[in-house]
Amino acid sequence: MGAYIREAQYRPVLDLYKASVHGSEWAAGNTEAAICADCHSRHGVGAVHDATGRVEVTESCGNCHQDSYKTYKGTYHGKITKLGYGETAKCYDCHGSHTIQRVDDPASPVHVDNRLETCQKCHEGATAGFVTFEPHGDPGNREKYPQIWFAQFFMIGLLLGTFAFFWLHSALWFYREWKDRKEGKNRPHVVLDELPPELAGKTHFRRFARGWRFAHLVGALSIMTLTLTGVSVLFPDRFWAPYIMRLLGGPDTAGYIHRVAALGFISVFFVHLIYFAFRIARNWRTLEWFGPNSLVPGLQDLKDAVAMFRWFFGLAPRPAMDRFTYWEKFDYWAPFWGMTIIGVSGLVMWFPITFASFLPGWAFNVAAIVHGEEAFLAAVFLFTVHFFNNHFRPDKFPQDTTMFTGRVPLEIYKHEHRREYERLLASGELEKYLVDAPTGPRSQSASLLGATLITFGLFLLTLVITGFLGF
């Protein structure tokens, strides 16, 4: 009696299955075709439509459709699924389950004529661009997905070129400073007795005003928050990824935090642009587009870089630098590129319905690739090269608090920016920049803040590197 009731209960589902591509293939003698137990398992997966069931059924699809499952895991839908959450679209949400048909079958939900309606089940108001999105786009398949392949190829080239140059630069710099110290070559000091009497009591140089320090802090916190909330999605297969996602409150909460941090970074960027727009408009007749006080790279920066490499190899003395060094200018301009790539691609994914109204679907695949790869580049560069330049090289270790106090000891400033120091001293303008040393509490607070940010940055770097290496 019980068997009869169960058969009657599942008869409608069995009839649907028999009419599906799986059922048709099984009836034709294809024993590789999926049957009930292949999807549901002999022991069941609980309620099919709860979060656990949705994830497990999707993983079951991957047991047979391995290539499709691999490319699906490369999408945001798939990454959230890999983290164990049921919110995003699963295989059967798009393809159907008991009634599944081949993609080119007019009855299939993912047939080109039905695809938009299928997308609109989750993305209310979805527009035409959704139809041409590639949920199984393979960056390794140049012939079938040329735009996706090129985006991946370009970003990998950008990563390799950037890290090859700057890691070599850092390694050579570390070696030269370490060797100079080992050989007892002391840094040149300012002889305070030679300064004018009215300047003799001032031991520090004011380099960064309060506004710049605040912008740096907001930018640093924003980038670190973006890295934390994005790293689990970037590397969902790693053992630590689900723990971090749960700590953040799940994908929805993590997404909100990510967007707030993005707005923080965007705000700093645009306030900065507005500031310089007003400054340029006010001083456009006398503004120095190039020269010692400009952040625009020029021929002198190339000469300084060549001179620096000559010093690295012991072929010349350490070159004198001006107000902004060539690596500081790179640190300044890099966010313009990063903001363009990460910001635009992030907006495309944040407002898919709007952008899909005029962009082709593959643009979303490209946006996901460049967003993740550029974020990886930014995080690794900041937490290795930027940290080394400002904190970890022998002359700076364990940290430089100039960006937190705004002040740098005069002797260090002369050593690192000798050309500007000598120019200001000769013109009599040095007095405008000389200040007292930061007070004890202020210095301690700056050291604590710097150490906290550096420690957290190294923690994030560990996650990114272990994620990339597959740990």
Side-chain angles (χ1 to χ4, degrees):
M1 184 68 177
Y4 175 79
I5 293 175
R6 284 195 297 274
E7 181 180 354
Q9 178 182 358
Y10 292 112
R11 174 57 59 185
V13 175
L14 290 172
D15 290 340
L16 292 174
Y17 166 78
K18 289 178 180 179
S20 72
V21 63
H22 289 155
S24 300
E25 287 289 316
W26 180 264
N30 182 2
T31 57
E32 298 296 324
I35 60 173
C36 306
D38 291 320
C39 300
H40 294 279
S41 85
R42 291 178 176 81
H43 302 289
V45 294
V48 173
H49 295 293
D50 69 8
T52 301
R54 285 172 58 79
V55 171
E56 291 187 6
V57 169
T58 303
E59 291 174 346
S60 296
C61 296
N63 292 333
C64 297
H65 302 280
Q66 296 177 0
D67 290 341
S68 295
Y69 185 54
K70 180 181 178 180
T71 52
Y72 166 77
K73 288 194 299 180
T75 66
Y76 179 76
H77 293 157
K79 290 178 177 182
I80 298 302
T81 300
K82 191 63 183 176
L83 288 168
Y85 294 88
E87 289 95 327
T88 56
K90 313 306 177 196
C91 305
Y92 64 86
D93 290 321
C94 300
H95 292 273
S97 53
H98 301 116
T99 59
I100 189 169
Q101 302 295 337
R102 299 186 188 279
V103 174
D104 57 1
D105 190 316
S108 171
V110 292
H111 184 271
V112 65
D113 294 335
N114 306 323
R115 199 171 298 168
L116 182 58
E117 182 180 352
T118 299
C119 294
Q120 289 174 340
K121 290 191 299 183
C122 296
H123 300 276
E124 185 177 351
T127 49
F130 279 73
V131 175
T132 53
F133 172 69
E134 298 289 356
H136 297 290
D138 182 2
N141 191 331
R142 180 178 180 178
E143 293 184 3
K144 190 173 181 180
Y145 307 104
Q147 300 92 345
I148 302 174
W149 177 89
F150 178 78
Q152 183 88 320
F153 178 81
F154 175 80
M155 293 305 301
I156 291 176
L158 180 64
L159 264 66
L160 292 177
T162 301
F163 291 139
F165 177 82
F166 282 100
W167 283 352
L168 175 64
H169 185 276
S170 297
L172 292 173
W173 196 350
F174 178 89
Y175 170 76
R176 176 49 55 188
E177 280 195 0
W178 171 79
K179 189 172 183 180
D180 282 358
R181 281 175 169 261
K182 187 177 180 180
E183 294 175 355
K185 295 180 180 178
N186 295 323
R187 298 181 300 183
H189 290 268
V190 176
V191 180
L192 297 182
D193 292 341
E194 295 180 359
L195 292 174
E198 64 272 17
L199 305 182
K202 305 292 186 179
T203 61
H204 280 60
F205 186 95
R206 177 176 53 80
R207 187 155 197 229
F208 298 111
R210 184 176 300 173
W212 293 111
R213 302 200 306 272
F214 178 75
H216 175 271
L217 179 60
V218 173
L221 292 175
S222 298
I223 291 171
M224 289 182 175
T225 303
L226 288 167
T227 304
L228 180 65
T229 51
V231 70
S232 293
V233 178
L234 190 60
F235 302 112
D237 291 332
R238 309 308 175 238
F239 76 91
W240 41 260
Y243 296 102
I244 292 179
M245 186 57 74
R246 284 199 293 270
L247 181 66
L248 293 170
D252 288 341
T253 303
Y256 287 126
I257 297 173
H258 194 81
R259 292 177 178 90
V260 170
L263 290 175
F265 187 67
I266 291 172
S267 297
V268 171
F269 182 77
F270 279 103
V271 168
H272 171 83
L273 291 183
I274 293 170
Y275 166 79
F276 270 103
F278 276 106
R279 182 175 177 181
I280 292 171
R282 186 177 65 246
N283 305 311
W284 70 274
R285 292 182 181 274
T286 59
L287 189 70
E288 295 183 1
W289 291 99
F290 297 93
N293 294 316
S294 174
L295 278 162
V296 179
L299 181 60
Q300 184 59 49
D301 296 296
L302 178 60
K303 294 178 179 179
D304 289 343
V306 172
M308 197 74 167
F309 273 89
R310 286 176 56 81
W311 174 62
F312 289 161
F313 290 102
L315 302 176
R318 179 170 181 155
M321 296 294 172
D322 219 310
R323 181 177 184 181
F324 301 111
T325 64
Y326 65 87
W327 63 85
E328 288 174 335
K329 290 183 180 181
F330 184 88
D331 279 353
Y332 173 80
W333 285 103
F336 283 81
W337 162 265
M339 187 70 243
T340 301
I341 296 298
I342 296 179
V344 172
S345 60
L347 287 173
V348 168
M349 294 185 291
W350 190 350
F351 302 103
I353 294 175
T354 300
F355 284 94
S357 64
F358 60 89
L359 289 178
W362 56 260
F364 295 90
N365 298 91
V366 170
I369 289 174
V370 299
H371 192 81
E373 297 292 344
E374 181 65 23
F376 177 86
L377 171 62
V380 175
F381 183 89
L382 286 171
F383 303 141
T384 57
V385 178
H386 182 72
F387 273 16
F388 171 82
N389 291 347
N390 294 279
H391 303 294
F392 294 156
R393 56 188 173 90
D395 279 358
K396 294 286 189 180
F397 189 80
Q399 66 170 316
D400 182 353
T401 60
T402 301
M403 185 51 80
F404 307 115
T405 64
R407 308 175 183 196
V408 57
L410 189 57
E411 61 180 27
I412 294 178
Y413 194 76
K414 179 185 178 183
H415 172 60
E416 296 183 345
H417 304 275
R418 195 184 317 156
R419 291 208 301 266
E420 183 188 29
Y421 170 83
E422 292 175 349
R423 186 173 61 255
L424 293 175
L425 183 62
S427 66
E429 297 178 273
L430 183 62
E431 181 180 4
K432 297 190 302 183
Y433 298 94
L434 294 185
V435 293
D436 295 325
T439 62
R442 183 175 180 179
S443 180
Q444 293 171 1
S445 299
S447 296
L448 178 61
L449 176 59
T452 301
L453 292 175
I454 291 171
T455 301
F456 190 55
L458 293 178
F459 166 71
L460 294 173
L461 176 63
T462 301
L463 293 180
V464 173
I465 294 300
T466 55
F468 175 76
L469 295 177
F471 297 152

